[in-house]
Amino acid sequence: TSSGGSAPAPAPAPSRHEGCPSANMTDVPESAWFHTFVDYVLEHGLMSGTSGTTFSPNGTVTRAMVVQTLYAMDGKPATGASAPFKDVTSDKYYAAAVAWAQSHGVVSGYDDGTFRPDVAITRQQLVTILYAYAGYRGANTASRASLDGFADASAVEGYAVEPTRWALASGLIQGRSTDTGTRICPNDTAMRSELAVMLKNLREKIL
């Protein structure tokens, strides 16, 4: 090896074209299946990064985050109401969003009077909220697909059956191919990358 001073390291080549919304996100490679979806939600202000250089595509999504996103998508209208849940106080950043969502039937709480805003949302819960939001927006929610071809169809809870059938028929979601067949994975915790996919599909295919 040379005993002289080392040459400066070459600047890394850009991983994607200039102007790409996720260009600064080190965890959103151009080859990632979710890349174009993340670009979309960043460009349209539907989601933001978890830092200046990360999106955290595998990060979880809470119930409050979903409601806040839909509230922003709707233009953050004033409701003049407060959220009727004992765990959503007026000082929370998501209080207005939860009040708006509840007043329009987009969300409902639990039997104990809570909303559980910080609980990670499951895929079937997310689909159910998006189904209700599409209905509130006057979109077509009549389409249905069969669940018969999915290995875990029986795992979809009763409240989520019709929203899941609609989500599949409308192209909001697709099944996952696994070693044990095509699955819906309704009880899996929804990831930020999956929310990005659903938001793009919701805007482009449904609303």
Side-chain angles (χ1 to χ4, degrees):
T1 58
S2 172
S3 60
S6 60
S15 61
R16 50 183 70 88
H17 64 83
E18 186 177 354
C20 177
S22 63
N24 293 329
M25 304 296 176
T26 58
D27 53 2
V28 184
E30 193 169 21
S31 59
W33 63 269
F34 50 77
H35 174 220
T36 57
F37 297 97
V38 172
D39 277 354
Y40 181 89
V41 296
L42 291 174
E43 182 178 0
H44 292 273
L46 302 180
M47 296 178 70
S48 57
T50 52
S51 77
T53 57
T54 57
F55 183 77
S56 303
N58 296 325
T60 57
V61 179
T62 66
R63 288 166 56 81
M65 289 167 58
V66 172
V67 171
Q68 185 70 23
T69 296
L70 296 179
Y71 183 53
M73 188 185 295
D74 213 47
K76 296 185 177 180
T79 64
S82 58
F85 305 114
K86 59 187 180 183
D87 58 349
V88 180
T89 54
S90 59
D91 60 326
K92 300 296 186 182
Y93 78 89
Y94 48 74
V98 174
W100 161 84
Q102 190 276 334
S103 68
H104 291 292
V106 175
V107 300
S108 59
Y110 291 86
D111 291 339
D112 63 357
T114 62
F115 180 69
R116 304 178 192 177
D118 298 320
V119 171
I121 201 167
T122 65
R123 283 168 52 85
Q124 65 182 345
Q125 290 172 343
L126 178 54
V127 164
T128 300
I129 290 176
L130 296 182
Y131 173 72
Y133 177 73
Y136 153 70
R137 289 287 300 269
N140 177 18
T141 57
S143 301
R144 296 291 186 273
S146 173
L147 303 183
D148 291 346
F150 295 93
D152 58 350
S154 62
V156 179
E157 296 184 41
Y159 75 87
V161 169
E162 293 307 306
T164 300
R165 293 181 62 201
W166 163 80
L168 289 165
S170 61
L172 186 73
I173 64 171
Q174 295 179 332
R176 290 177 178 172
S177 295
T178 70
D179 293 339
T180 55
T182 304
R183 293 183 172 271
I184 302 170
C185 304
N187 293 306
D188 282 10
T189 300
M191 298 185 295
R192 284 171 54 83
S193 55
E194 292 177 324
L195 176 59
V197 170
M198 292 187 200
L199 290 175
K200 184 175 188 291
N201 288 341
L202 180 70
R203 286 277 295 265
E204 294 192 335
K205 298 180 179 181
I206 298 168
L207 298 181

